Amino acid sequence: MKIPFNVLTIVAFVLSGYPSVAQVALPQKREFQPVEPQKATRNFHTFMTCVALKNPEKVANWILSEAWDETYPEIVELVKHSRCLRGTSDHKFDASETQIKGVFAEGLFELQMHEKEVYPSFIAIEPLINAEQIKAAKNSDTKSRLIVAAFSECVVRNSTDNVLGLLSSKPTSSTEQNYFSAMSSTMSICLPQNDGTEIVFSKSILRSNFALAAYKLFKIQTDPQRVGSSSFGRPLSEAKN
């Protein structure tokens, strides 16, 4: 599926590094020093996935919430009492809305895939984002968000196996990089034509957007009220054989 709008150039997603998403507190001065970015990313991913698995209903609501200013304090409070920090309690994490929701989506997507015992199959599902929605965006931030969501959805639909491999890999690992490379041709197909608009993000942001798209599509695929939903997707046990 090629997205028919001329609004985006995604720059250097494979070459971009991981921004530091954590700092470590020095107890004596209560100051923070940078943690090695890859370690920070892995720690963040581990404990936020733990939070998601312990609180699936709350996290599911937060993923779909548009009221981030109201949602974020609730997330912070839950994280403090989650007992998921495990060695990172002296970290101060600085992550974007997309990164937080993306890691939550990864955790719930894997959980639901095994609970439903159905292999993801998204091609037959109507697009979540279309050109008309993007054209109707009232400001540049909304337009950029919709463009990236549409791009991510396209990649998830057309390179599902590679996306599943990516989401099962450890962040910052060589395996993760291999899956990014394997998706490069699909990403090129899914890129809209360029009109000069530029959006730059790291691999962690790209991974988060793929996770959000996969999670939302899988919820639709396995919705029991969807006509014929039981016929969409192979049984998970069959897919592994």
Side-chain angles (χ1 to χ4, degrees):
M1 178 181 70
K2 189 172 179 64
I3 305 173
F5 23 81
N6 305 324
V7 281
L8 174 66
T9 300
I10 296 180
V11 179
F13 65 88
V14 171
L15 298 179
S16 63
Y18 286 86
S20 178
V21 294
Q23 296 177 313
V24 176
L26 299 177
Q28 301 91 333
K29 298 182 180 180
R30 299 303 300 170
E31 295 176 353
F32 294 89
Q33 290 185 341
V35 172
E36 187 273 318
Q38 292 188 345
K39 179 180 179 181
T41 300
R42 291 192 296 270
N43 287 346
F44 173 76
H45 187 275
T46 297
F47 90 76
M48 291 302 274
T49 300
C50 172
V51 172
L53 296 179
K54 283 189 173 185
N55 306 274
E57 292 184 5
K58 285 186 177 181
V59 167
N61 290 330
W62 287 338
I63 289 172
L64 301 178
S65 172
E66 297 292 336
W68 184 245
D69 289 342
E70 298 175 12
T71 300
Y72 183 71
E74 296 178 11
I75 294 174
V76 171
E77 195 62 27
L78 184 64
V79 167
K80 286 180 181 179
H81 300 94
S82 66
R83 298 186 179 182
C84 287
L85 293 175
R86 292 197 301 268
T88 59
S89 58
D90 59 349
H91 285 33
K92 178 183 178 182
F93 288 90
D94 181 16
S96 69
E97 176 181 355
T98 298
Q99 286 173 306
I100 292 172
K101 287 185 175 181
V103 177
F104 282 165
E106 277 197 52
L108 294 193
F109 174 54
E110 182 176 358
L111 177 65
Q112 291 182 2
M113 188 168 66
H114 286 87
E115 284 182 348
K116 302 291 185 180
E117 296 187 339
V118 173
Y119 196 79
S121 177
F122 305 136
I123 293 296
I125 299 173
E126 289 294 316
L128 305 179
I129 307 293
N130 56 49
E132 288 70 28
Q133 289 173 281
I134 293 175
K135 290 176 182 177
K138 295 181 179 179
N139 56 63
S140 58
D141 287 343
T142 300
K143 178 178 282 190
S144 296
R145 177 175 59 81
L146 290 173
I147 291 166
V148 173
F151 164 75
S152 302
E153 182 187 337
C154 176
V155 175
V156 170
R157 286 176 181 276
N158 291 283
S159 192
T160 304
D161 288 347
N162 284 323
V163 170
L164 294 179
L166 174 75
L167 298 182
S168 67
S169 69
K170 291 184 178 180
T172 78
S173 66
S174 59
T175 301
E176 181 195 59
Q177 177 58 53
N178 289 340
Y179 280 113
F180 272 125
S181 299
M183 288 186 283
S184 60
S185 59
T186 303
M187 286 190 274
S188 297
I189 293 171
C190 289
L191 279 173
Q193 296 178 5
N194 176 30
D195 73 341
T197 301
E198 184 174 277
I199 299 174
V200 182
F201 43 63
S202 68
K203 284 183 281 189
S204 63
I205 293 291
L206 191 60
R207 176 174 175 144
S208 290
N209 278 289
F210 289 163
L212 285 165
Y215 170 75
K216 292 174 182 177
L217 288 167
F218 192 67
K219 280 184 71 68
I220 295 172
Q221 178 191 346
T222 57
D223 182 354
Q225 296 183 357
R226 182 169 178 261
V227 176
S229 61
S230 61
S231 65
F232 283 91
R234 294 170 288 168
L236 194 59
S237 56
E238 178 183 313
K240 290 181 178 180
N241 295 329

